[in-house]
C-alpha cells in the first residue's frame, strides 16, 4: 500500500494542527505488531497497568524488536515528506484502552519533553520526575517544532475514545483549556481506521471520552523533532 501525494496532509496539519491518513499499515502489518505486543512481559516497571489503561512508556526502547514493523515505507515517507528530512524520534508510548475503560482525558496540550537529566536552565520548567525519567516544559519554539504520529491498531471513533481536538489551537501558544471560548472554537472528533494514523502537533488542544461501545483502542504514540537541545541536555528517548 503506497501513499498518494502527501502535500495535502502536510498543509492540513500545518493549518489545523492535525491530519488523518488511512491505510498506512496493511491488516497483515497490524497483526504482526499486535503479535509482538501480545507476547511481552507486562511486569516491567515502565509499564502502567490498571483496569482503565495499560501503557508502556519509552515504548521503542522497551520493545526494540517492534521498530522494523513500525517504520515501514509509508511511515518513513510521512516523516521525511511531511515533517522533514532530519526528524528523529524523541518520545514513544503505547496505550491500550481496554473494552470496559472508564478512562477519559480532559482537554490539554502536550507540554513536556523527555530529557536525560534535570538541571537549572533558563526557560525550561516546570520539571517532573517519574521512575528516574525526567520531563520538562521547554521553550515554546521546541514544542512548536514537534510532530506526533499516533498509529491505530483498532478502528477508533467517538464511542471508544477517539481523540477530539480544537482545530487551529496549536498556533495559539500555551492555551489553557479552562479559557476555551466555544463561541469561537469548534470541536472535531478524529475517527481513525485500523492501520491508519493521526498526525498532530502537540500544542493542539486534545482530549478523549470514555469508551461506550465495548471495543478496544490500542494506539502507538511517537513524537519527532529535528532540534538539538541546549548542549548540556539530551533527548532521553532519541532514536535517529
Amino acid at each position: 500500500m503506497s501513499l498518494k501525494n502527501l502535500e495535502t496532509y502536510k498543509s492540513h496539519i500545518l493549518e489545523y494542527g492535525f491530519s488523518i491518513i488511512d491505510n498506512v499499515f496493511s491488516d497483515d502489518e497490524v497483526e504482526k505488531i499486535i503479535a509482538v505486543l501480545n507476547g511481552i512481559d507486562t511486569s516491567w516497571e515502565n509499564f502502567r497497568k490498571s483496569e482503565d489503561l495499560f501503557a508502556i512508556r519509552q515504548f521503542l526502547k522497551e520493545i526494540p524488536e517492534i521498530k522494523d514493523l513500525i517504520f515501514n515505507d509509508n511511515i518513513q515517507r510521512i516523516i521525511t515528506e511531511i515533517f522533514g528530512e532530519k526528524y528523529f524520534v524523541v518520545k514513544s508510548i503505547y496505550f491500550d484502552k481496554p473494552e470496559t475503560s472508564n478512562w477519559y482525558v480532559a482537554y490539554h496540550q502536550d507540554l513536556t519533553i523527555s530529557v536525560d537529566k534535570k538541571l537549572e536552565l533558563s526557560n525550561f520548567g516546570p520539571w517532573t520526575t517519574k521512575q528516574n525519567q525526567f520531563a520538562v516544559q521547554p521553550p515554546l519554539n521546541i514544542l512548536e517544532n514537534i510532530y506526533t504520529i499516533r498509529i491505530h491498531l483498532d478502528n477508533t471513533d467517538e464511542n471508544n475514545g477517539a481523540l477530539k481536538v480544537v482545530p487551529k489551537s496549536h498556533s495559539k501558544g500555551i492555551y489553557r483549556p479552562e479559557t476555551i471560548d466555544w463561541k469561537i472554537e469548534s470541536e472535531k472528533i478524529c475517527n481513525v481506521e485500523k492501520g491508519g494514523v493521526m498526525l498532530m502537533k502537540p500544542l493542539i488542544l486534545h482530549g478523549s471520552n470514555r469508551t461506550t461501545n465495548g471495543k478496544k483502542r490500542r494506539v502507538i504514540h511517537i513524537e519527532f523533532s529535528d532540534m538539538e537541545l541546549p548542549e548540556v541536555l539530551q533527548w532521553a528517548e532519541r532514536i535517529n
Side-chain angles (χ1 to χ4, degrees), residues 24-170:
V24 175
F25 293 86
S26 66
D27 285 347
D28 183 51
E29 287 174 314
V30 172
E31 291 313 316
K32 284 180 174 158
I33 291 170
I34 289 171
V36 172
L37 291 167
N38 285 342
I40 57 186
D41 174 0
T42 59
S43 63
W44 303 347
E45 63 175 56
N46 262 351
F47 296 7
R48 167 181 177 181
K49 193 155 191 166
S50 72
E51 287 177 17
D52 285 329
L53 182 72
F54 172 57
I56 304 174
R57 299 189 177 284
Q58 300 201 19
F59 175 64
L60 293 174
K61 285 195 166 181
E62 295 283 1
I63 321 289
E65 65 271 26
I66 214 159
K67 276 194 291 227
D68 289 344
L69 299 175
I70 287 173
F71 292 101
N72 67 3
D73 290 346
N74 285 341
I75 287 288
Q76 295 193 50
R77 271 193 61 205
I78 287 167
I79 295 166
T80 54
E81 293 180 35
I82 297 182
F83 306 169
E85 293 279 342
K86 298 192 168 76
Y87 270 74
F88 47 86
V89 173
V90 295
K91 191 180 207 171
S92 60
I93 311 173
Y94 167 67
F95 294 106
D96 177 353
K97 200 172 189 177
E99 297 89 336
T100 55
S101 177
N102 276 323
W103 184 269
Y104 81 98
V105 181
Y107 268 112
H108 67 287
Q109 296 173 299
D110 292 341
L111 294 176
T112 63
I113 59 171
S114 295
V115 293
D116 63 336
K117 59 175 101 55
K118 179 178 180 181
L119 37 81
E120 290 297 318
L121 264 184
S122 62
N123 299 320
F124 280 77
W127 290 79
T128 58
T129 309
K130 283 184 200 155
Q131 299 167 332
N132 252 357
Q133 296 177 22
F134 305 102
V136 65
Q137 184 169 326
L140 193 61
N141 67 311
I142 293 176
L143 292 172
E144 288 173 339
N145 173 261
I146 292 171
Y147 285 93
T148 300
I149 296 182
R150 294 171 57 89
I151 300 166
H152 283 250
L153 306 179
D154 303 285
N155 290 326
T156 310
D157 60 25
E158 70 273 14
N159 300 311
N160 65 331
L163 277 195
K164 48 189 186 177
V165 299
V166 179
K168 301 190 177 184
S169 55
H170 69 298

